[in-house]
């Protein structure tokens, strides 16, 4: 009887060790799977965000370079910081011209492009946390690479733009694209 008890106790100990090792392996595989899934989602988000930023910057650069002039710009205050969030350009449209506006609204976190020729607002950038247009003159400040700020839309020759976009994964802000900046010069405008 005692050998039977020793044998069953030995089998029970082996079974507990096997269950413990199996549990650790399953836990490690689950943790690896969750980490890998999170990493792949983060990588996809980052690539998608970078692609959207590049496409938007290309469109904005093309529109500003081909504009006749800056028609107007407006500013708002976000968290106590005054920013320019809207630029309206006069662009060639067939024999005449049309107004093309880019406007960022902090509440929607989106940059929209609206043309007066078709009056359709198209979102060109999503998930934008911060965006600022800086309208400037073309003549440089002495001793620096900066250009003078503009007094009126009529003296605007350069549009500096910068933005920061981010996305969330599983409810946490994970991916933050580095700040996109560009200094775009209006090519068609004279003096």
């Amino acid at each position: 009887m005692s050998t039977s008890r020793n044998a069953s106790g030995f089998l029970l100990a082996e079974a507990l060790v096997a269950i413990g090792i199996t549990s650790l392996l399953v836990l490690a595989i689950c943790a690896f799977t969750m980490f890998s899934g999170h990493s792949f989602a983060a990588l996809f988000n980052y690539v998608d965000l970078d692609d959207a930023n590049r496409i938007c910057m290309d469109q904005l650069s093309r529109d500003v370079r081909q504009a006749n002039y800056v028609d107007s710009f407006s500013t708002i205050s976000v968290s106590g910081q005054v920013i320019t969030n809207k630029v309206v350009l006069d662009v060639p449209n067939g024999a005449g011209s049309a107004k093309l506006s880019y406007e960022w609204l902090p509440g929607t976190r989106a940059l929209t492009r609206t043309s007066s020729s078709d009056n359709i607002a198209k979102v060109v950038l999503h998930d934008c946390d911060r965006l600022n247009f800086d309208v400037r003159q073309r003549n440089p400040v002495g001793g620096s690479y900066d250009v003078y700020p503009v007094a009126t839309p009529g003296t605007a020759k350069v549009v500096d733009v910068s933005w920061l976009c981010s996305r969330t994964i599983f409810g946490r802000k994970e991916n933050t694209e580095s700040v996109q900046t560009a200094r775009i010069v209006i090519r068609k405008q004279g003096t």
Side-chain angles (χ1 to χ4, degrees), residues 43-83:
L43 185 60
F44 173 77
N45 260 354
Y46 185 77
V47 168
D48 191 45
L49 195 58
D50 187 54
D51 191 40
N53 281 333
R54 190 183 75 254
I55 290 169
C56 179
M57 186 63 80
D58 289 347
Q59 177 73 51
L60 180 63
S61 296
R62 187 172 36 253
D63 287 342
V64 171
R65 285 184 183 131
Q66 294 176 358
N68 296 323
Y69 57 88
V70 173
D71 186 62
S72 66
F73 56 91
S74 62
T75 60
I76 62 170
S77 180
V78 177
S79 302
Q81 179 183 3
V82 176
I83 61 166

Side-chain angles (χ1 to χ4, degrees), residues 3 32 66 90:
T3 49
F32 178 73
Q66 294 176 358
D90 184 85

Side-chain angles (χ1 to χ4, degrees), residues 93-148:
N93 184 17
S97 66
K99 303 298 182 208
L100 180 66
S101 71
Y102 280 91
E103 182 175 18
W104 173 69
L105 298 173
T108 62
R109 296 178 62 217
L111 176 65
T112 56
R113 177 184 186 266
T114 308
S115 175
S116 65
S117 61
D118 57 11
N119 220 14
I120 297 174
K122 178 184 174 190
V123 175
V124 292
L125 188 63
H126 295 278
D127 305 316
C128 190
D129 296 326
R130 184 179 68 221
L131 187 136
N132 188 33
F133 293 106
D134 194 8
V135 183
R136 298 186 162 266
Q137 297 180 31
R138 187 175 290 158
N139 43 339
V141 174
S144 73
Y145 292 108
D146 207 5
V147 290
Y148 284 103

